[in-house]
């Protein structure tokens, strides 16, 4: 997450002081990635060192105000044009956990998958409910529009994770690293492509979450 570019984007709208920037950043993103004032002022100090922001007096309450410079505007424009680099993805704890669980003695891989699946579906349902609330305020509130976009990204992300967990379970069954689950038909077909929608009947709650999401998206 680029805090520095987020702060530059907020300063493009006019002078701001540190705690004001923190409040506006969290409002715009629904506090999904909370900041503390220390992070904000540390980042502002680095931006000032790099010539991208400058202090410009104080507000009536005595808060030091920061403004974006021409160099900061150029950097911000370049950031908006530049794609986010995916060639060096951040470490994913879940992927590492499953990779280490394979072959680890005494580890029930299916329970690891099922536990995460329950958590992921619960998170997706919570995001869907928050999306319904955000839609009620759109388009009157621009901050709610920004929050809505973040929420939808989180919904897509958790949905993709649930599909990947299904794929992992099917793959492990196919490779005889997991037994067939009791009460389910044998996995005699090819392992499903992660981009294809899995059978939702195996994941209680996912269909309801998608149904709710779809009905709200149609508003």
């Amino acid at each position: 997450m680029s805090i520095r570019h987020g702060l530059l984007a907020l300063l493009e709208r006019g002078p701001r002081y540190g705690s004001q920037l923190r409040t506006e950043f969290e409002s715009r993103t629904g506090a999904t990635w909370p900041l503390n004032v220390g992070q904000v002022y540390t980042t502002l100090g680095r931006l000032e060192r790099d010539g991208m922001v400058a202090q410009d007096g104080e507000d009536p309450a005595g808060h030091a105000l920061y403004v974006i410079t021409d160099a900061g505007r150029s950097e911000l424009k370049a950031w908006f044009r530049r794609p986010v680099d995916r060639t060096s993805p951040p470490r994913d704890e879940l992927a590492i956990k499953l990779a280490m669980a394979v072959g680890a003695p005494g580890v029930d891989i299916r329970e690891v998958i099922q536990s995460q699946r329950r958590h992921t579906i619960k998170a997706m349902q919570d995001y869907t409910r928050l999306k319904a609330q955000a839609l009620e305020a759109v388009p009157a509130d621009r901050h709610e529009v920004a929050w809505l976009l973040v929420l939808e990204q989180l919904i897509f992300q958790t949905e993709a994770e649930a599909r990947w967990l299904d794929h992992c379970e099917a793959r492990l069954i196919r490779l005889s690293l997991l037994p067939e689950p009791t009460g389910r038909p044998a996995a005699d077909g090819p392992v499903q492509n992660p981009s294809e929608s899995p059978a939702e009947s195996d994941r209680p709650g996912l269909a309801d979450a998608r149904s709710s999401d779809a009905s709200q998206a149609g508003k």
Side-chain angles (χ1 to χ4, degrees):
M1 179 184 61
S2 181
I3 297 173
R4 60 189 275 121
H5 292 102
L7 298 184
L8 286 174
L10 293 173
L11 287 171
E12 179 74 351
R13 300 170 61 85
R16 301 283 194 279
Y17 55 87
S19 58
Q20 185 180 20
L21 286 166
R22 182 193 66 174
T23 299
E24 292 189 16
F25 184 95
E26 293 186 351
S27 174
R28 192 71 63 87
T29 62
T32 304
W33 303 282
L35 299 177
N36 60 55
V37 173
Q39 282 179 290
V40 172
Y41 278 107
T42 297
T43 304
L44 286 172
R46 290 171 180 165
L47 288 169
E48 187 176 17
R49 178 200 63 194
D50 295 339
M52 296 184 190
V53 304
Q55 293 191 42
D56 186 28
E58 299 178 344
D59 71 355
H63 299 113
L65 294 173
Y66 290 83
V67 296
I68 190 170
T69 64
D70 289 341
R73 289 189 180 90
S74 297
E75 173 62 21
L76 183 61
K77 289 178 181 177
W79 180 61
F80 281 129
R81 291 194 301 265
R82 187 168 60 241
V84 175
D85 185 16
R86 301 298 187 191
T87 57
S88 299
R91 294 183 182 91
D92 185 287
E93 183 179 356
L94 177 57
I96 294 171
K97 180 186 290 188
L98 287 185
M100 296 302 166
V102 175
V107 176
D108 185 339
I109 304 176
R110 174 165 285 123
E111 177 53 32
V112 174
I113 292 173
Q114 290 178 344
S115 176
Q116 183 64 41
R117 183 187 287 127
R118 288 191 293 269
H119 174 82
T120 300
I121 292 171
K122 172 66 165 55
M124 182 162 49
Q125 292 170 334
D126 290 343
Y127 293 146
T128 301
R129 283 191 288 271
L130 289 172
K131 177 181 175 180
Q133 296 170 13
L135 280 169
E136 293 177 359
V138 174
D141 189 332
R142 291 176 64 90
H143 284 179
E144 288 298 330
V145 174
W147 173 218
L148 178 62
L149 296 179
V150 172
L151 274 172
E152 289 176 329
Q153 191 270 347
L154 293 171
I155 290 169
F156 286 131
Q157 190 176 59
T158 50
E159 183 177 22
E161 182 171 283
R163 291 180 176 182
W164 177 70
L165 288 167
D166 288 343
H167 170 78
C168 289
E169 185 174 16
R171 174 72 73 189
L172 292 171
I173 292 171
R174 182 77 170 176
L175 296 174
S176 300
L177 295 175
L178 277 181
E180 290 286 352
T182 304
R184 290 195 197 177
D188 53 1
V191 174
Q192 185 175 21
N193 187 309
S195 65
E196 297 173 353
S197 178
E200 294 178 353
S201 60
D202 290 341
R203 290 189 274 127
L206 179 56
D208 292 340
R210 285 187 185 166
S211 175
S212 175
D213 189 25
S215 65
Q216 293 299 334
K219 290 186 178 181

